[in-house]
Amino acid sequence: QNPKTYAIVKQLLAEGNAGELQKYFGSRMEFGTAGLRAAMGAGISHMNDLTIIQTTQGFCRYLEKNFTDLKKRGVVIGFDARAHLSSGGSSKRFARLAANSFISQGVPVYLFSDIIPTPFVPYTVTHLKLCAGIMVTASHNPKQDNGYKVYWENGAQIISPHDKGISQAIEENQEPWPQAWDDKLIDSSPLLHDPYAMVNKEYFKDIQKQCFYRNINKETNLKFVHTSVHGVGHKFVQLAFKAFDLSPPFAVPEQKDPDPDFPTVKYPNPEEGKGVLTLSFALAEKDGARIILANDPDADRLAVAEKQESGEWKVFSGNELGALLGWWIFTCWKNNSRDTRAIKDVYMLSSTVSSKILRAIALKEGFHFEETLTGFKWMGNRAKQLMDQGKAVLFAFEEAIGYMCCPAVLDKDGVSAAVITAEMASFLATRNLSLSQQLKAVYDEYGFHITKASYFICHDPKVIQQLFDNLRNFDGKNTYPKSCGRFKVSGIRDLTTGYDSSQPDQKAILPTSKSSQMITFTFANGGVATMRTSGTEPKIKYYSELCAPPGNSDVEQLKKELDELVNALEKHFFQPEKNKLQRKTE
């Protein structure tokens, strides 16, 4: 019943354009553990009013099956600022249609009345003890995309088997319910609640538990620039600074207000580095700021850059900021913990493709470190399990600039990470230290961890399958490579098949998944490299790291060694020429 998508389909029919119609209606978007992510437009392969109604009807039926008290507890729904003129789709409209589906079945809905950062949804699930949460966002994807991200009652993103259960329920509930299209009905419903004011108060109260140096914050001369890259982050980072008694950061004027066209950037993704930060650098130079904080459009990730003595800007990698935040959060905990015995109940987590720096800090300091599969859904769920056993999970991170610094949000949160980074930088400034100098101090104390990650693009699933099959049958059937160029392989873990050469029974401890490819090689020189396929893009990614014991300070030699290892990995294991792989263009 959306006139715009209806007109698009009628036009294609009139033109007899079978190819485009096949693209729109050939296959339904797949609902996975990350929910939905696709372009907005007509047809069942896109995000539009109808597919949102169908998805929510399925999700509602699945929740009814799992919770007897769904009609008492309810769900929360949030949205970002994305919109798509030609198909009439927008995050706000999709959120209202989703709310309407639940309310029509007697389920209370806490629908935010305005745009919010993604972490506010898992926060609300936990804070109000709701059954589930939905965030309508495509995070840092291109502007035509949107997404539908789902949280379970534990406040973490869903993991299997919920994705399959919800997917099945969507298939069974495709015909829109009688008043599915009429979202105006929700405005007069007693089941509709707006958590906006309450969460804006409570969230900022909760993150203040991570504020340890209020007096330094009040007096610091350090200046910060913040960009929300045309997304939702501006207002909330300003409020977070206020909550920590820090002067507000300078906001990049061209990027501070939400704009679904993302006009000043090619990709609205701060992970892409300097290209996204051009306007931030200019403002920082003008206002004399030394540190830049950049959120992605839904404010769940954070990139940080710092001006060096040379006048150059250094953009920290996700692993480097993970090292700094891990060191800082542990140090604050140690200085404020009354009970030294409690260290045996302290945990930090990171994903298996992220730097092992937290492992090195944990070994030396005596707390626990665990790695999980890639993605915050795993870290959030594991953190909740540990917290339910009375453990303290201080910090979790992944190399894709995602940080969980606050136990009140069991997902990555770019708002709390931004203000905690600002407090850390302000504290270090009182010791005449920059973030870069402190990072070196962390590596000096716990051992250098040099990382290098990249990807190849490959649109042919058969080539990808063949590449990984080749690695599993390298010197004859069921044999993995014993070396990679001059580098000797000392261990192999294959999370597609469940094989791990380092375990007594040769079975991997982490969960395995036959539907995605992932092999980790450990090398005799202390290097580790993981090759994996991406769940959302046509990429084969690799992550490599060289860890040196404390005291080995020849960083240039370590970097050279890692560069050579990566070159060997590309040449012998990826074979880009033979497999016609397209390199990441910097």
Coordinates of all heavy atoms in Angstrom, one line a residue, residues 290-291 305-309 312-316 320 324 428 433-443:
R290 N 43.7 18.9 19.7 CA 44.7 17.9 19.4 C 44.1 16.5 19.2 O 44.8 15.6 18.7 CB 45.7 17.8 20.6 CG 47.1 17.4 20.2 CD 48.0 17.4 21.4 NE 47.7 16.2 22.2 CZ 48.1 16.1 23.5 NH1 48.6 17.2 24.1 NH2 47.8 15.0 24.2
I291 N 42.8 16.3 19.6 CA 42.2 15.0 19.5 C 40.9 15.1 18.7 O 40.1 15.9 19.0 CB 42.1 14.3 20.8 CG1 43.5 14.1 21.4 CG2 41.3 13.1 20.8 CD1 43.5 13.6 22.8
A305 N 41.7 10.1 16.4 CA 42.9 10.6 15.8 C 43.6 11.6 16.7 O 42.9 12.3 17.4 CB 42.6 11.2 14.4
E306 N 44.9 11.7 16.7 CA 45.6 12.6 17.5 C 46.7 13.3 16.7 O 47.4 12.7 15.9 CB 46.3 11.8 18.7 CG 47.1 12.7 19.6 CD 47.7 11.9 20.7 OE1 48.5 10.9 20.4 OE2 47.4 12.1 21.9
K307 N 46.9 14.6 17.0 CA 48.0 15.3 16.3 C 49.3 15.0 16.9 O 49.4 15.1 18.2 CB 47.7 16.8 16.3 CG 48.5 17.6 15.4 CD 48.1 19.1 15.3 CE 48.9 19.8 14.2 NZ 48.5 21.2 14.1
Q308 N 50.3 14.6 16.1 CA 51.6 14.3 16.6 C 52.5 15.5 16.7 O 52.2 16.5 16.1 CB 52.2 13.2 15.8 CG 51.3 12.0 15.5 CD 51.0 11.3 16.8 OE1 51.9 10.7 17.5 NE2 49.7 11.3 17.3
E309 N 53.6 15.4 17.4 CA 54.6 16.5 17.5 C 55.0 17.0 16.1 O 55.2 18.2 15.9 CB 55.9 15.9 18.2 CG 55.6 15.4 19.6 CD 55.8 16.5 20.7 OE1 56.9 17.1 20.7 OE2 54.8 16.8 21.4
E312 N 51.8 15.9 12.0 CA 51.0 14.8 11.3 C 49.8 14.4 12.2 O 49.9 14.5 13.4 CB 51.9 13.6 11.0 CG 52.9 13.8 9.9 CD 52.2 13.7 8.5 OE1 51.6 12.6 8.2 OE2 52.2 14.7 7.8
W313 N 48.8 13.8 11.6 CA 47.7 13.2 12.4 C 47.8 11.7 12.3 O 48.1 11.1 11.3 CB 46.3 13.6 11.8 CG 46.0 15.0 12.1 CD1 46.2 16.2 11.4 CD2 45.3 15.5 13.3 NE1 45.7 17.3 12.0 CE2 45.1 16.9 13.2 CE3 44.8 14.8 14.4 CZ2 44.5 17.6 14.2 CZ3 44.1 15.6 15.4 CH2 44.0 17.0 15.3
K314 N 47.7 11.1 13.5 CA 47.7 9.7 13.6 C 46.3 9.2 13.8 O 45.7 9.6 14.8 CB 48.6 9.2 14.7 CG 48.5 7.7 15.0 CD 49.4 7.2 16.1 CE 49.1 5.7 16.5 NZ 49.3 4.7 15.4
V315 N 45.8 8.3 13.0 CA 44.5 7.7 13.2 C 44.7 6.4 13.9 O 45.4 5.5 13.3 CB 43.7 7.5 11.9 CG1 42.3 6.9 12.2 CG2 43.5 8.9 11.2
F316 N 44.3 6.2 15.1 CA 44.5 4.9 15.8 C 43.7 3.8 15.1 O 42.5 4.0 14.8 CB 44.1 5.0 17.3 CG 45.0 6.0 18.0 CD1 44.7 7.3 18.2 CD2 46.2 5.5 18.6 CE1 45.5 8.2 18.9 CE2 47.1 6.4 19.2 CZ 46.7 7.7 19.4
E320 N 44.7 -0.6 18.4 CA 45.5 0.4 19.2 C 44.6 1.0 20.3 O 44.9 1.1 21.4 CB 46.1 1.4 18.3 CG 47.3 0.8 17.5 CD 47.8 1.8 16.5 OE1 47.1 2.7 16.0 OE2 49.0 1.7 16.1
L324 N 44.6 0.9 24.4 CA 44.6 2.0 25.3 C 43.4 2.0 26.3 O 43.6 2.2 27.5 CB 44.5 3.3 24.5 CG 45.8 3.8 23.9 CD1 45.6 4.9 22.9 CD2 46.7 4.4 25.0
L428 N 46.0 11.9 31.0 CA 47.4 11.7 30.5 C 48.0 13.1 30.3 O 49.2 13.2 30.5 CB 47.4 10.9 29.2 CG 47.1 9.4 29.3 CD1 46.8 8.8 28.0 CD2 48.2 8.7 30.1
L433 N 51.7 13.4 28.8 CA 51.7 12.3 27.9 C 50.6 12.4 26.9 O 49.5 12.8 27.2 CB 51.5 11.0 28.7 CG 52.7 10.5 29.6 CD1 52.2 9.4 30.5 CD2 53.8 10.0 28.7
S434 N 50.9 12.1 25.6 CA 49.9 12.0 24.6 C 49.3 10.6 24.6 O 49.9 9.7 25.2 CB 50.5 12.3 23.2 OG 51.4 11.3 22.9
L435 N 48.2 10.3 23.8 CA 47.7 9.0 23.7 C 48.8 8.1 23.0 O 49.0 6.9 23.4 CB 46.4 9.0 22.8 CG 45.2 9.7 23.4 CD1 44.1 9.7 22.4 CD2 44.7 8.9 24.7
S436 N 49.5 8.6 22.0 CA 50.5 7.8 21.3 C 51.6 7.4 22.2 O 52.1 6.3 22.1 CB 51.1 8.6 20.1 OG 50.0 9.1 19.3
Q437 N 52.0 8.4 23.1 CA 53.1 8.0 24.0 C 52.6 6.9 25.0 O 53.4 6.0 25.3 CB 53.6 9.3 24.8 CG 54.4 10.2 23.9 CD 54.5 11.6 24.5 OE1 53.6 12.1 25.2 NE2 55.6 12.3 24.3
Q438 N 51.4 7.1 25.4 CA 50.9 6.1 26.4 C 50.7 4.7 25.7 O 51.0 3.7 26.3 CB 49.5 6.5 27.0 CG 48.9 5.5 28.0 CD 49.9 5.2 29.1 OE1 50.6 6.1 29.6 NE2 49.9 3.9 29.5
L439 N 50.4 4.7 24.4 CA 50.2 3.4 23.7 C 51.6 2.7 23.7 O 51.7 1.5 23.9 CB 49.7 3.7 22.3 CG 49.6 2.5 21.4 CD1 48.5 1.5 21.9 CD2 49.2 2.8 19.9
K440 N 52.7 3.5 23.4 CA 54.0 3.0 23.4 C 54.4 2.4 24.8 O 54.9 1.3 24.9 CB 55.0 4.0 22.9 CG 56.4 3.4 22.8 CD 57.4 4.4 22.3 CE 58.8 3.7 22.1 NZ 59.3 3.0 23.3
A441 N 54.0 3.1 25.8 CA 54.2 2.7 27.2 C 53.5 1.4 27.5 O 54.1 0.5 28.1 CB 53.8 3.8 28.2
V442 N 52.3 1.2 27.0 CA 51.5 0.0 27.2 C 52.3 -1.2 26.5 O 52.5 -2.3 27.0 CB 50.1 0.1 26.6 CG1 49.4 -1.3 26.5 CG2 49.3 1.1 27.4
Y443 N 52.7 -0.9 25.2 CA 53.5 -2.0 24.5 C 54.8 -2.3 25.2 O 55.3 -3.4 25.2 CB 53.7 -1.5 23.1 CG 52.4 -1.6 22.2 CD1 52.2 -0.8 21.1 CD2 51.4 -2.6 22.5 CE1 51.1 -0.8 20.4 CE2 50.3 -2.6 21.7 CZ 50.1 -1.8 20.6 OH 49.0 -1.8 19.9

